[in-house]
Amino acid sequence: MKIAVLLKQVPDTETKIRVKGDASGIESDGIKYIISPYDEFAIEEAIKTKEKSAPSEVIAVSLGPVRVVDAIRTALAMGADKGIHIDDCGLAMDSFVTAKVLANALKNENFDLIFTGKQAIDDDASQVSQMVAEFLNVPQLMLAEKFELGADKKSATIERSVGGGTKEVYTVEFPAVIGAEKGLNTPRYASLPGIMKAKTKPVTTLKASDLVGETKPKTTNVNFRLPPERAAGKVLQGEPEQLAQQLVKLLREEAKVI
Amino acid sequence: MANILVIGEHAEGKVKKVTFELVTKASELAAKLGGQAEVVFIGSGISNTAEVGQYGAKKAYVLNNANLEKYNTDAYTKVLFDLVNELKPQVVLGTASPVGKDVLPRLAARLDSGLASDCTNLDIQDGKLVATRPVYSGKAIIDVKFESALQVASARPNSFVPSVVAAGAAAEVVNKDMDAGTLRAVLKELVKAQSQKADLTEAGIIVSGGRAMKAAENFKILAELADVIGATVGASRAAVDSGYATHDMQVGQTGKVVNPNLYIACGISGAIQHLAGMRTSKVIVAINKDPEAPIFTKADYGIVGDLFQIVPLLTQEFKKALQG
Ligand SMILES: Cc1cc2nc3c(=O)[nH]c(=O)nc-3n(C[C@H](O)[C@H](O)[C@H](O)COP(=O)(O)OP(=O)(O)OC[C@H]3O[C@@H](n4cnc5c(N)ncnc54)[C@H](O)[C@@H]3O)c2cc1C
Ligand SMILES: Nc1ncnc2c1ncn2[C@@H]1O[C@H](COP(=O)(O)O)[C@@H](O)[C@H]1O
């Protein structure tokens, strides 16, 4: 089987976000980058699936500046076999263009499975996986919490939660895009031998400018700003019974939320 | 004509509150565009579709076919694509629910249009939709401008207040039989939750527990409080990772992003990744025994104390106040 994993490199979750003076974006200096957490679940599931369906290979694909090769190397150290770095060539990108470029890079490779994260935690868009699936004309199953490879290795059963505690169980035939939700698995750490081996695994570089065609962004992000700071409120004083009484009164009469 | 098409949502045969929220906003925006708000419902047996008229919608399309009874990406994308091509609205709005998040990107891609997802505000500027949304887990806010002629957006639940603008008005209901196409992913089984609680992402009130809950059984005291005040129970990642709560209860950067009117955090320290999921709550209450816990710097009301003592007292007090 041929399995792709789509990886996005994003600022670490602890990053303090600073906005540029002209509100056109965020300041990028000093940011530490990580693989978007949901994409780690995608890598793990891809590797697990490979282990169950030998001979198979996992190809980690990331679109972005040169720094994203680090994310690809991490995936290789975890157990992916090859990497594809798509240099963004400084092009203006929104989810639509990103998905178009990724889909064009993948389209002639005949992947059985494409694992992605349900959402990247920088733009929080949750769009690219579905758009890639659309552009490749293959089905998508987002929010996957359980993935079970079929005995025929050409299909899978996927379980997902769709709100309010309701679960859905789907079957899908490959090729398909699977969007990973938390709970799908516990991503492995790269082992030391894994890290050594990753250095010799092949990473191909493609150029977004060769893949984008006539596609232009459909949206532009403007007016970057920080959210209004939440001011600290009242800390209530008194004995436990009084505290409970006060809080109920405040929530009903002052905040009027109950 | 510059109309706005809202993708309506329903559960148990009833139109959901999120749809009334969105229709209220859509009719305000449609007025700015010189068009009207219309709603599309997919599925059959929805009892109160015409009610969207009270919130300003003029028409309610009800699309039906045996393959549309349950959500399916392929089927929903196809019928919405066909409907949009027929009606040619300028704006399509949906909810940032599991369904909206699944279908809208695919629909926008097929329509060769831009999408702004999980928006907290929507406006019309220079005749086009401008969408406001949080990024970096709420650490920054942006406005999204559209280059495409058709503009698609999804709104976070609880972002708009539903408001009856035309009491008693009924939207004209138009039933349509649609071809749902071929379904590639097949739903084999649907396991409904025992309790029909609002999902965390749509809940108006949330009571959440953290690592301090110490055991899964102890979540019972949060459930009791939640029952009295009509809340949904959430959890921090520490509580989920320790096995006290299930994954779908997690609030935060790698859990659910919630937007309730009231969020009660019990024994949660207020780590940045937890705040990422609940910082837009209108009112935050923190119950924590450590007066230095960072959650207090974000809370509107704080109680320094032992949650095992405070939570049951609160349940009692609310019972008195709400039932007495
Ligand atoms: C990539 C990444 C993603 C993450 N995503 C998430 C996420 O989505 N959601 C999330 O929540 N976290 C997330 N985290 C984890 C986050 O950093 C914190 O570790 C977590 O939120 C802590 O949970 P907590 O507040 O329950 O536990 P703690 O930080 O241990 O806090 C427990 C609190 O309970 C108080 N307490 C103890 N006993 C009592 C008592 N009897 N009564 C009252 N108070 C008491 C303590 O004073 C303390 O403040 C993420 C971390 C990373 C690195
Ligand atoms: N630049 C990128 N390179 C590779 N994969 C990406 C990129 N952007 C998004 N993805 C994939 O699409 C998923 C959803 O991203 P988003 O739509 O941005 O929330 C991510 O979890 C990745 O799997």
Side-chain angles (χ1 to χ4, degrees), chain B residues 226-247:
Chain B
D227 274 343
V228 173
I229 59 178
T232 303
V233 178
S236 73
R237 172 159 146 184
V240 171
D241 288 353
S242 311
Y244 311 157
T246 52
H247 287 300

Side-chain angles (χ1 to χ4, degrees), chain A residues 54-66:
Chain A
S56 288
E57 63 173 355
V58 173
I59 299 163
V61 184
S62 189
L63 163 63
V66 176

